[in-house]
Amino acid sequence: MGVKEKRNMYATACAIIASVISVLLGYDTGVMSGAMLFIKEELKINDVQVEVLAGILNLCALVGSMAAGRTADRIGRRLTIVLASAIFFAGAILMGFAPSYPWLLAGRCVAGVGVGFALMVAPVYSAEISSTSSRGFLTSLPEFCIALGILTGYISNYLFAKLPLKYGWRTMLGIAALPSLALAFGIFAMPESPRWLVMQGRLGDAKKVLLKISNSQEESEWRMRDIKIAAGIDETCKDDVVKPASKSHGEGVWKELILRPSATVKRILIAVIGIHFFQHATGIGAVVIYSPRIFKAAGIQDKNKLLLATIGVGFTKCSFVLVATFLIDKVGRRTLLLTGTGGMIASLAGLGLGLTVIDHTKKQLMWVVVLCIVTVLTYVAFYSISLGPITWVYSSEIFPLRLRAQGASIGVAVNRVMNATISMTFISLYKAITIGGAFFLFAGIGILAWMFFYFFYPETKGKTLEEIEELFSRRPRLMSAQEYGRGVELGNKANVGG
């Protein structure tokens, strides 16, 4: 293969369709930030109930994500996407017609289970149908769709805020059922993951899919050979159907992941858990969900202006995630991750400073208001080119094939727990240590995150999914800078040679 590989448009289209389900999570997150202003007014709920409402979706997503790995191994990646879409549809309908706070919570819980399924299966499916040179681009599409959903949610807040109070927030939440219907139609045009088909012993079906998602017969053949080896099947086997591997449905996977992991699996598991933990521990949930409160603390009081300011947050996130999708296979995961995290730290410190000055000043200082708005936007921008998409890229590509679905589900579970923790405690946190202090705390966590990424994450650009396991198996200790350099060089050579 040449230096620059042509992107397969069929594989790209399949990844886009699979990623549409991530719009649902983004929309729900974005729309809830504004809807809570109106829900609190109509249902007369207190701040604790607001925090529960914001975070309950993520706790229920934990249930969905833990079930999704085993489900995806049993019924396939494609049908798992259908199941996730159906569950979210039911939750959106419940929220849209909720007559009271308990019904609203019930709808959020049901939607959360669907979100948990979606967050695990969409990146895994995208990673398994993509080629080496476009894997970062396709695997980061779910994060772009989350960002697009958040922006759509913010715009929905602004538009439907003009409806009567009783109907406004219900329309905001209920309309999320529409994308899940669209996905139900699009899903039938998608093939199953060839790697899952090989795990089931369906080699003939896998070959047909690989011919469609590869640019040449030669590429499909070497991809098939690598998948066979990873699945424990003789690479010279010419049969169309063979006996599935004993662990093809997930039997024994939890034992291999948790109870008796190898040194390589331990390192992969620590890397996945770490990046999912820091993705939310650095405060993105507080900024996205509570951005109206942050802007209000910064001095913007009018509701319409608050909602317009949040649209700016959504537009920034969407734009920079799109930038990241085109850079991730060129610049590399590691460079974007370290650069973006550094920018997040500086932005969080600036936001903490601005909000602290406002807390200790009686009159409004315009430069401080501008500082707060700018640092919120720069924080979101840096997050969106680094931790946002790269979390999903890393966690879907570094697990061995036999462990990928259930390993990714562990990462999603950690992700949802941290999202719920931040969502359900942010108001209480800033009341305890001030809103400026909360963002200084996030900046401190960001410094720990940068150090963790520096020592634990090699460059995986240009490596096949089957080769990445070898990259981690060569790491008996924390990598030195020189070893990282060799990892990057190996990745570049693989990209050149195909």
Side-chain angles (χ1 to χ4, degrees):
M1 293 171 67
V3 174
K4 192 171 183 180
E5 183 181 317
K6 181 181 175 184
R7 181 171 291 131
N8 184 281
M9 297 312 296
Y10 182 73
T12 301
C14 291
I16 290 172
I17 294 171
S19 300
V20 166
I21 197 166
S22 299
V23 172
L24 306 177
L25 168 63
Y27 181 86
D28 191 273
T29 302
V31 80
M32 187 54 69
S33 69
M36 283 191 296
L37 299 174
F38 305 100
I39 292 169
K40 186 174 183 180
E41 184 179 342
E42 184 191 345
L43 300 183
K44 303 294 186 288
I45 58 178
N46 57 40
D47 280 343
V48 173
Q49 290 173 305
V50 168
E51 288 180 320
V52 171
L53 187 61
I56 196 70
L57 178 138
N58 295 300
L59 289 180
C60 294
L62 172 64
V63 177
S65 66
M66 295 306 290
R70 187 69 177 265
T71 304
D73 279 343
R74 279 194 170 275
I75 68 174
R77 291 17 173 175
R78 193 174 77 152
L79 287 180
T80 304
I81 295 174
V82 174
L83 179 61
S85 181
I87 295 171
F88 190 92
F89 177 83
I93 295 297
L94 268 175
M95 289 189 287
F97 290 96
S100 61
Y101 183 73
W103 279 99
L104 183 57
L105 276 183
R108 290 279 283 170
C109 283
V110 173
V113 174
V115 163
F117 273 84
L119 281 174
M120 190 290 296
V121 73
V124 167
Y125 177 84
S126 297
E128 291 187 347
I129 66 165
S130 60
S131 63
T132 299
S133 64
S134 62
R135 188 177 63 245
F137 171 79
L138 296 183
T139 312
S140 60
L141 283 177
E143 179 64 20
F144 171 71
C145 288
I146 290 174
L148 182 63
I150 289 172
L151 175 60
T152 307
Y154 286 153
I155 294 172
S156 176
N157 285 155
Y158 183 73
L159 295 177
F160 294 127
K162 297 173 175 59
L163 293 176
L165 182 63
K166 181 178 180 181
Y167 301 108
W169 65 266
R170 289 180 172 86
T171 305
M172 294 174 191
L173 298 176
I175 204 170
L178 294 180
S180 58
L181 277 179
L183 182 63
F185 287 102
I187 200 76
F188 295 107
M190 293 166 53
E192 183 51 82
S193 157
R195 287 177 169 84
W196 182 81
L197 290 171
V198 170
M199 288 170 65
Q200 309 311 302
R202 294 164 56 183
L203 305 188
D205 292 336
K207 289 175 188 175
K208 292 176 185 176
V209 175
L210 281 169
L211 278 172
K212 290 182 179 180
I213 63 175
S214 301
N215 290 321
S216 66
Q217 174 85 24
E218 181 186 14
E219 181 190 342
S220 70
E221 287 175 358
W222 66 253
R223 288 176 71 176
M224 185 68 182
R225 184 181 66 248
D226 285 347
I227 296 170
K228 283 180 182 176
I229 293 171
I233 297 172
D234 184 357
E235 61 179 290
T236 62
C237 177
K238 301 296 183 183
D239 296 336
D240 284 343
V241 180
V242 299
K243 184 179 179 181
S246 60
K247 295 181 181 179
S248 65
H249 293 305
E251 293 86 348
V253 169
W254 289 117
K255 185 184 295 183
E256 193 172 351
L257 271 173
I258 305 297
L259 298 181
R260 289 198 295 271
S262 66
T264 299
V265 171
K266 278 181 186 177
R267 283 189 288 275
I268 291 172
L269 199 57
I270 290 170
V272 168
I273 289 174
I275 199 167
H276 277 285
F277 173 85
F278 284 118
Q279 187 186 47
H280 288 286
T282 46
I284 188 63
V287 172
V288 171
I289 296 177
Y290 295 106
S291 52
R293 283 181 179 249
I294 295 169
F295 288 130
K296 192 172 183 179
I300 303 174
Q301 300 298 322
D302 182 75
K303 262 186 184 178
N304 281 333
K305 289 180 180 178
L306 285 173
L307 295 177
L308 277 173
T310 61
I311 290 176
V313 172
F315 181 78
T316 301
K317 183 170 174 59
C318 201
S319 301
F320 280 87
V321 171
L322 186 59
V323 170
T325 62
F326 289 101
L327 290 179
I328 201 165
D329 285 316
K330 296 177 181 178
V331 176
R333 285 72 155 147
R334 178 175 161 79
T335 301
L336 285 178
L337 186 61
L338 293 176
T339 303
T341 305
M344 288 166 58
I345 294 166
S347 300
L348 287 166
L351 180 57
L353 175 63
L355 292 171
T356 300
V357 170
I358 288 173
D359 266 352
H360 292 83
T361 307
K362 291 184 179 179
K363 63 178 182 178
Q364 190 178 65
L365 300 173
M366 186 52 63
W367 71 267
V368 181
V369 175
V370 172
L371 175 65
C372 290
I373 294 172
V374 169
T375 49
V376 165
L377 296 180
T378 56
Y379 166 78
V380 170
F382 280 116
Y383 171 87
S384 299
I385 63 167
S386 57
L387 263 175
I390 293 172
T391 296
W392 303 107
V393 174
Y394 259 126
S395 60
S396 62
E397 71 181 4
I398 64 177
F399 276 109
L401 174 60
R402 66 191 180 280
L403 307 178
R404 188 168 298 137
Q406 296 191 50
S409 74
I410 292 175
V412 174
V414 173
N415 189 285
R416 294 300 90 191
V417 167
M418 289 310 302
N419 193 324
T421 301
I422 299 299
S423 302
M424 299 176 78
T425 62
F426 180 67
I427 296 175
S428 302
L429 177 67
Y430 80 64
K431 284 182 176 179
I433 64 173
T434 75
I435 191 166
F439 286 102
F440 280 129
L441 176 62
F442 291 143
I445 295 172
I447 293 172
L448 295 176
W450 193 95
M451 294 171 64
F452 182 77
F453 300 150
Y454 181 82
F455 288 110
F456 270 87
Y457 291 82
E459 182 55 73
T460 56
K461 181 188 74 169
K463 307 289 284 183
T464 68
L465 290 176
E466 286 66 38
E467 289 171 330
I468 290 173
E469 183 179 359
E470 295 178 20
L471 184 62
F472 277 84
S473 69
R474 290 198 297 268
R475 300 172 64 218
R477 63 189 189 288
L478 296 181
M479 274 191 169
S480 66
Q482 289 81 9
E483 288 172 313
Y484 270 124
R486 288 200 295 274
V488 172
E489 185 181 349
L490 284 169
N492 290 335
K493 285 180 179 177
N495 199 34
V496 171

